[in-house]
Amino acid sequence: MTRLLALSQTSSPLGPHERQGGAISLLVAIGLVLLASLASFYSARSVLVDRLASQNQTQAVQARLAAEAALAWGRAEMQRQHASNRAPAVWGPGTSTAPCPSGFITARWQCVALQPPAHTALPEAVAQVLAVRDLIGSPHVALLLASASLKDGTSRAQVQAQVFVPTLAPAPHPPNPAAVVLNGCASVADPASTSGKTHTASRVCPGGLNSACTPSAWASVLGDTTPEQIRAWSEAQERNGLSALSQPARSVYWVDSPATWSQSVGSPEAPVLLVFSGQACSQRCPDMAAGVRVVGTVVLQTQCQDDKVRGWFAGHIVGQVVVESGLPELQSGSRIEASEQASAPYRMPWPEGMDTRQVQRVPGSWRDGGP
């Protein structure tokens, strides 16, 4: 009995300290397992995030490269069109006009959407180019806004740059200061009806048709800019909603109608260029109605035929009159005053040394992102 009692006492349960230590060990083991699981989870998550970031970066680079390729295509397309036509079709009637971005919302801004071809190296990208120009202040400068997005919608990029597009040529410098610029002979001006100096070109054009007519008066004022370019510029302003009453007001008018001109246009702050074409002057250049006042430059395309302006009534012109023939006489009451601002509508800024016959990027205009 004594021995059994002793054995019973030896095999008694663990004490409180031993049980507490076991529980702690179990908790530590569970905690280590949890920590290992969390570490594994976050490690896998980190790998996934890094993979997604790398994929997003790759997609962003693809969209960026597609946008830059579209921008380069837009510039090349401008050059291609200019090489075939000095009034590029991108600005002509029938082109795909598009809403202008914020900041380019008045009628002075012309926006045209261009659709570049799919890039063979980036077939999953869709690109677009928007050409924007100021029809009053700089019609020879195009802002190209290129954007590209991946077809799955995961990434999008925008780049932009300005290019000079020779839709016009630089005006002669210094400007011709004469109130009347002729391509032939002029009668003695009546001091009561005209003021300012009269400039007569060295070429003498007799009345009647002259097939060898050289528009020296035009060249002395407008330089190498062609009538076709001025006409395209005028039509673009009209299509865009510019008029004498718009804000800002229209600055270029090409007139084919032989009817008497009855609208006052231009102001000292915003002079105009008003051209009566060879079609308008086919029989006789249109008179200006009494009371009409034009501030700016008026051009008469008489094709070296004095009779087309014989007895012409000029109204009140503040600026300059350019006649592609002589000016035999003016009707009584005509008034022409010289103004230094006469060339402002067509005298555009061109950087010194630029080849004005080529499409060229404006230095420092490239930028990442939208307008």
Side-chain angles (χ1 to χ4, degrees):
M1 292 292 291
T2 304
R3 185 177 179 181
L4 290 174
L5 182 59
L7 288 173
S8 177
Q9 291 175 350
T10 302
S11 59
S12 61
L14 295 175
H17 293 293
E18 288 78 358
R19 290 196 302 271
Q20 187 177 6
I24 292 174
S25 298
L26 180 60
L27 292 174
V28 170
I30 295 172
L32 291 175
V33 171
L34 290 174
L35 288 175
S37 299
L38 289 173
S40 177
F41 171 76
Y42 281 107
S43 176
R45 185 174 182 274
S46 177
V47 170
L48 179 60
V49 169
D50 289 344
R51 183 176 298 174
L52 289 175
S54 177
Q55 183 179 358
N56 289 340
Q57 183 177 8
T58 300
Q59 292 170 339
V61 169
Q62 289 177 334
R64 170 75 172 274
L65 291 175
E68 291 183 355
L71 185 66
W73 173 87
R75 176 180 169 186
E77 178 66 8
M78 290 286 187
Q79 176 60 41
R80 184 192 67 80
Q81 291 197 16
H82 174 70
S84 60
N85 187 345
R86 296 191 70 181
V90 67
W91 305 122
T95 53
S96 179
T97 58
C100 291
S102 59
F104 305 94
I105 56 175
T106 64
R108 74 184 300 156
W109 298 102
Q110 183 183 19
C111 298
V112 176
L114 306 176
Q115 189 59 54
H119 199 292
T120 54
L122 298 168
E124 65 277 10
V126 178
Q128 182 177 346
V129 178
L130 186 68
V132 183
R133 69 168 177 168
D134 181 352
L135 284 172
I136 295 177
S138 54
H140 63 311
V141 179
L143 172 63
L144 299 180
L145 303 171
S147 62
S149 59
L150 301 187
K151 293 180 180 179
D152 58 8
T154 55
S155 190
R156 179 180 175 85
Q158 291 181 300
V159 294
Q160 61 174 285
Q162 289 179 318
V163 292
F164 285 103
V165 184
T167 51
L168 302 172
H173 184 79
N176 191 325
V180 181
V181 181
L182 303 177
N183 191 33
C185 303
S187 61
V188 177
D190 179 1
S193 60
T194 62
S195 62
K197 297 182 293 181
T198 298
H199 169 79
T200 303
S202 58
R203 177 177 173 81
V204 176
C205 295
L209 183 62
N210 185 341
S211 60
C213 177
T214 302
S216 57
W218 174 286
S220 71
V221 172
L222 292 162
D224 293 331
T225 296
T226 65
E228 292 75 19
Q229 289 176 326
I230 297 297
R231 180 172 188 164
W233 185 11
S234 170
E235 291 174 347
Q237 288 196 355
E238 184 178 17
R239 286 196 309 272
N240 228 46
L242 290 169
S243 68
L245 302 177
S246 64
Q247 292 296 329
R250 184 175 173 181
S251 64
V252 180
Y253 296 83
W254 179 275
V255 180
D256 285 330
S257 171
T260 298
W261 181 261
S262 59
Q263 184 178 22
S264 293
V265 291
S267 66
E269 298 77 24
V272 301
L273 172 62
L274 174 60
V275 180
F276 292 97
S277 70
Q279 180 177 332
C281 295
S282 59
Q283 299 298 322
R284 183 180 180 277
C285 288
D287 285 329
M288 292 188 173
V292 165
R293 185 173 187 265
V294 175
V295 180
T297 299
V298 177
V299 180
L300 304 177
Q301 288 196 306
T302 55
Q303 299 146 357
C304 298
Q305 299 179 60
D306 292 1
D307 286 344
K308 293 182 181 294
V309 283
R310 192 176 300 277
W312 182 62
F313 183 72
H316 182 193
I317 299 174
V318 181
Q320 191 172 56
V321 174
V322 181
V323 187
E324 291 183 350
S325 68
L327 189 61
E329 59 184 345
L330 283 174
Q331 277 192 33
S332 176
S334 298
R335 184 180 177 188
I336 303 173
E337 303 175 24
S339 170
E340 295 181 357
Q341 298 299 315
S343 63
Y346 55 85
R347 187 168 293 277
M348 300 296 161
W350 289 92
E352 187 175 355
M354 170 173 281
D355 183 356
T356 58
R357 298 165 298 178
Q358 303 293 327
V359 174
Q360 299 172 68
R361 182 172 60 86
V362 177
S365 67
W366 187 95
R367 189 161 67 86
D368 189 5

